[in-house]
Amino acid sequence: MKDSLRQSMALFHTWSGLLLGWLLFAMFATGTAAYFQDEITRWMQPEVTGDADPATAAQGAMRYLNSVAPDAKSWYISLPNSRSATTQVYWQPSGERPAKRVETSALLDRGGHAITSRETRGGFFLYRFHFDLHYMPVLWARYLVGVAAMFMLVAILSGVITHKKIFADFFMLRFGKGQRSWLDAHNVTAVLALPFHLMITFTGLVTLASMYMPWGIAANYAEQTAFSEAVFGRSAETVPSGRHAPLADLGPLVRNASARWNDERVGYISIANPNDAAALIEMSRAPEAAFGARGQTATFEGATGRAIGTHQATGSALATESVMIGLHTGRFAEWGLRWLYFLSGLGGTVMVGSGLVLWTVKRRARLSDPSCPHLGFRIVERLNIAAIAGLATGIAVYFLANRLLPLEMVDRAEREIDSLFLAWLGIGLWGILRPAGRAWTEALAIAGACFAAIPLANAMTTSRGLLPSLLAGDWTFVAFDLVMLVLAAGFLLAAVRSAQLRTKAKAGAKPRGANRRATSA
Amino acid sequence: MMHILPATVIVAGFLALAASMKRHQRDLLGRLLTHVQTRSTRMAGWFLLGIGWAVNAALLGPAMGTIVWCGELSLGAALTVTTLNWRTRRPSR
């Protein structure tokens, strides 16, 4: 009975893990990078230095928006947090014409001047890719990501049942033993950060739960806007009066809101009908101030700056959701905890990657003719190369493109993103065209070389290379370059190992793992 | 810096837990422990993990302390695995 449960779970674990494993790998890798999205953005905008004060930034953003879109329907200002130095603004133009994103958004420095040089989406792109993917409608992407996360949850739970020695093997990591080593790596990365994996997968689903399961809201509210109004106190649509009235200064209002929240930072400002007598300003507390992602909001009359009131979404369900999203995104984490988040995420990435490789390693031993595997095997093998080495190379090339593309290039930010996917595609094709064993070695070596090239490109194209940053005590830049070097070393080591294994196999050794009965999945 | 004290306690806890497992005793201690010693080592290990939580909770409050503790548990276990690997690899070479 017990064994049959284990066997069915093994089957379940193998296939739920494999089917969307490649997507999960990409989600884990980019999600892990997203814990440092502000630091990545800083590195990708080396011209921007120093910290920004929210009140000054808000005032600057207002100056900018008054000059480009004084009669917009609404403005949105995302203020710098304690780790970033730039302000992101969006606006909804007054005309009916739908506008492209690049025409209605801008990235500002702390004085409110648009940053036009070295246009980039920085770490924010990796963060959005984590759940919005790219080159496809956001809605589809989020459903796909949701299905993948659900599979992940299933794979984690069935995995704990399947790997019967997961706790007995808690500390076991044996190198150079073929399949056994892959299983060890998979087990160890899974079990060591098991609380993190469970938390991150479950809370990941919660972040988009009301999209995946809209029926609760649909059954109780006629429209989504009625729900947000009731719960978040947001007025669905304020009607402009048509009378012009200049907007009150935002700087003092930011300080006012901040003072209400024990001097916590304001994170986000939305303004309906700016420069109209009926303008309304809503400020939200920065998410870094507490576990809960949904903080308090304070509302002000736009023309007079008079405070209307503060609002905090109440109710235990909302508080739970808010804390779960907060736990997932880790915005509250100070640097020590942030590194723990990052390392756990890296562990998760390795867990998914080693699981994918394990699928082929286990089956290679049982192939009737290892030199000519069946189609399914070949597909998985090639997709593994594309997913693991391909994405790694893509991310490295994204950073390289940021340093190497001409600074004043048109649509530069988009070209950086295209570089990522071109490199990814390139490695994918390489994996198809070359013999699988060689393709692994070569693709891993390319990934390693690209990561190693990043600190070099940084030192040659900016004045903030590793050495000057070290001397200046600029730890963000130092850490970024060092992480790139560690990744480079990791990938190059993997390339060397895979080359060694190939020569060993060629020397007439028995196929790896052939003499070992598969102990568990 | 906040992490150093609790993380050290947690690593000590995991090392004790590893030492309470027969398969790791030779690598870690060079000999097998008696039944009684094994049991007390295991209890000491769990106790140290608990102390790690208490230190975090005292420093950071129960909520933040628990979150940080979970992260340190993963890190501490990873460091223990590395230590074990390092100790098992050397004699065989």
Side-chain angles (χ1 to χ4, degrees):
Chain A
M1 182 65 200
K2 214 173 158 208
D3 269 339
S4 73
L5 173 71
R6 203 156 256 158
Q7 274 158 11
S8 62
M9 282 295 148
L11 210 66
F12 205 28
H13 181 74
T14 305
W15 296 103
S16 63
L18 182 73
L19 193 58
L20 286 164
W22 301 291
L23 177 59
L24 281 170
F25 183 84
M27 285 161 65
F28 252 106
T30 51
T32 302
Y35 283 125
F36 283 120
Q37 59 163 313
D38 290 321
E39 286 75 11
I40 292 174
T41 304
R42 274 189 176 246
W43 187 89
M44 291 177 86
Q45 286 169 332
E47 291 82 7
V48 180
T49 53
D51 293 316
D53 162 58
T56 320
Q59 197 60 33
M62 178 176 159
R63 262 199 310 278
Y64 176 82
L65 286 164
N66 264 332
S67 69
V68 296
D71 53 354
K73 266 189 206 149
S74 48
W75 293 349
Y76 305 95
I77 305 169
S78 182
L79 293 173
N81 61 26
S82 58
R83 293 153 53 218
S84 60
T86 46
T87 312
Q88 178 79 53
V89 293
Y90 311 87
W91 59 96
Q92 206 184 353
S94 50
E96 291 303 308
R97 176 183 66 97
K100 272 169 62 181
R101 189 186 65 230
V102 283
E103 292 166 3
T104 58
S105 69
L107 194 65
L108 311 179
D109 66 13
R110 91 196 88 148
H113 310 287
I115 299 171
T116 47
S117 171
R118 202 189 296 267
E119 201 191 292
T120 182
R121 289 188 72 204
F124 189 69
F125 168 72
L126 296 173
Y127 163 69
R128 291 308 284 245
F129 178 82
H130 169 63
F131 56 96
D132 279 353
L133 308 180
H134 201 62
Y135 299 128
M136 70 189 292
V138 165
L139 203 66
W140 286 41
R142 290 186 179 183
Y143 277 117
L144 194 59
V145 162
V147 172
M150 204 66 224
F151 271 60
M152 180 76 205
L153 196 58
V154 164
I156 291 179
L157 296 176
S158 59
V160 172
I161 300 174
T162 300
H163 295 284
K164 54 185 160 197
K165 296 207 290 191
I166 195 165
F167 290 108
D169 280 350
F170 196 91
F171 298 113
M172 292 304 271
L173 182 60
R174 287 152 292 189
F175 290 109
K177 293 207 164 135
Q179 182 180 335
R180 185 67 242 182
S181 296
W182 283 106
L183 186 57
D184 279 353
H186 188 57
N187 277 351
V188 159
T189 46
V191 77
L192 293 192
L194 193 59
F196 173 82
H197 299 324
L198 273 173
M199 178 280 283
I200 212 70
T201 311
F202 187 77
T203 54
L205 281 164
V206 169
T207 56
L208 294 172
S210 63
M211 183 196 136
Y212 298 140
M213 296 185 290
W215 309 289
I217 294 170
N220 290 294
Y221 296 91
E223 278 180 72
Q224 180 75 30
T225 47
F227 167 75
S228 14
E229 194 173 351
V231 174
F232 304 116
R234 237 163 250 154
S235 37
E237 187 98 321
T238 45
V239 189
S241 68
R243 273 179 299 119
H244 179 84
L247 196 67
D249 276 348
L250 290 179
L253 295 186
V254 166
R255 278 190 214 102
N256 179 321
S258 205
R260 288 160 191 263
W261 301 324
N262 299 327
D263 285 334
E264 296 293 2
R265 294 172 88 111
V266 172
Y268 197 71
I269 310 175
S270 74
I271 300 158
N273 309 312
N275 296 317
D276 183 277
L280 209 60
I281 302 171
E282 189 187 78
M283 305 209 175
S284 315
R285 199 207 61 208
E288 66 184 27
F291 296 135
R294 297 193 201 282
Q296 288 180 310
T297 56
T299 318
F300 301 89
E301 271 182 14
T304 61
R306 193 174 63 85
I308 300 173
T310 57
H311 185 86
Q312 165 86 62
T314 49
S316 48
L318 268 171
T320 309
E321 189 217 21
S322 167
V323 166
M324 281 192 174
I325 297 175
L327 267 181
H328 186 91
T329 51
R331 294 212 169 89
F332 63 88
E334 39 71 56
W335 67 266
L337 183 56
R338 188 164 294 281
W339 275 102
L340 289 177
Y341 260 115
F342 179 78
L343 291 175
S344 300
L346 219 52
T349 313
V350 174
M351 170 182 71
V352 178
S354 59
L356 287 169
V357 173
L358 192 56
W359 192 96
T360 59
V361 171
K362 269 183 74 175
R363 275 156 193 78
R364 177 169 295 122
R366 292 194 228 129
L367 288 173
S368 50
D369 176 10
S371 62
C372 183
H374 56 84
L375 181 66
F377 185 90
R378 288 211 298 265
I379 292 176
V380 171
E381 198 169 39
R382 309 296 166 149
L383 276 174
N384 280 354
I385 299 172
I388 297 170
L391 175 65
T393 311
I395 291 177
V397 166
Y398 179 58
F399 295 148
L400 280 176
N402 176 265
R403 286 297 188 262
L404 300 177
L405 289 179
L407 289 188
E408 308 301 335
M409 189 176 199
V410 183
D411 286 344
R412 189 177 191 279
E414 293 305 312
R415 297 293 88 78
E416 281 181 11
I417 294 168
D418 293 341
S419 325
L420 188 162
F421 290 102
L422 278 175
W424 196 349
L425 181 73
I427 295 288
L429 290 176
W430 188 276
I432 294 171
L433 296 175
R434 302 281 292 161
R438 271 174 211 282
W440 264 121
T441 309
E442 289 157 358
L444 289 169
I446 294 172
C450 287
F451 276 115
I454 293 168
L456 277 179
N458 180 37
M460 288 193 301
T461 57
T462 72
S463 56
R464 300 179 73 181
L466 187 52
L467 204 58
S469 299
L470 204 57
L471 292 177
D474 183 354
W475 302 120
T476 304
F477 269 61
V478 171
F480 189 100
D481 278 6
L482 287 182
V483 169
M484 294 304 120
L485 289 175
V486 168
L487 288 172
F491 280 105
L492 290 174
L493 203 67
V496 170
R497 283 293 296 158
S498 79
Q500 283 172 347
L501 283 180
R502 249 196 359 270
T503 46
K504 228 196 254 176
K506 243 187 224 156
K510 278 172 75 176
R512 308 200 63 80
N515 54 350
R516 204 177 297 272
R517 289 289 337 138
T519 43
S520 57
Chain B
M1 290 304 115
M2 285 280 246
H3 295 287
I4 289 179
L5 174 64
T8 314
V9 174
I10 285 168
V11 170
F14 274 119
L15 280 173
L17 282 179
S20 76
M21 292 166 87
K22 226 176 192 144
R23 63 201 307 182
H24 298 303
Q25 285 176 353
R26 253 183 230 293
D27 298 332
L28 270 176
L29 309 165
R31 67 186 176 93
L32 287 177
L33 294 181
T34 64
H35 186 67
V36 178
Q37 284 172 326
T38 298
R39 229 184 48 193
S40 42
T41 314
R42 182 178 308 128
M43 272 161 61
W46 286 112
F47 180 72
L48 284 170
L49 296 188
I51 293 287
W53 179 83
V55 173
N56 275 317
L59 286 173
L60 305 161
M64 182 66 103
T66 305
I67 296 172
V68 170
W69 182 65
C70 284
E72 287 170 355
L73 280 182
S74 300
L75 183 71
L79 289 175
T80 308
V81 169
T82 317
T83 313
L84 276 168
N85 240 302
W86 173 68
R87 289 196 59 106
T88 47
R89 283 189 118 193
R90 282 213 306 185
S92 67
R93 295 266 151 114

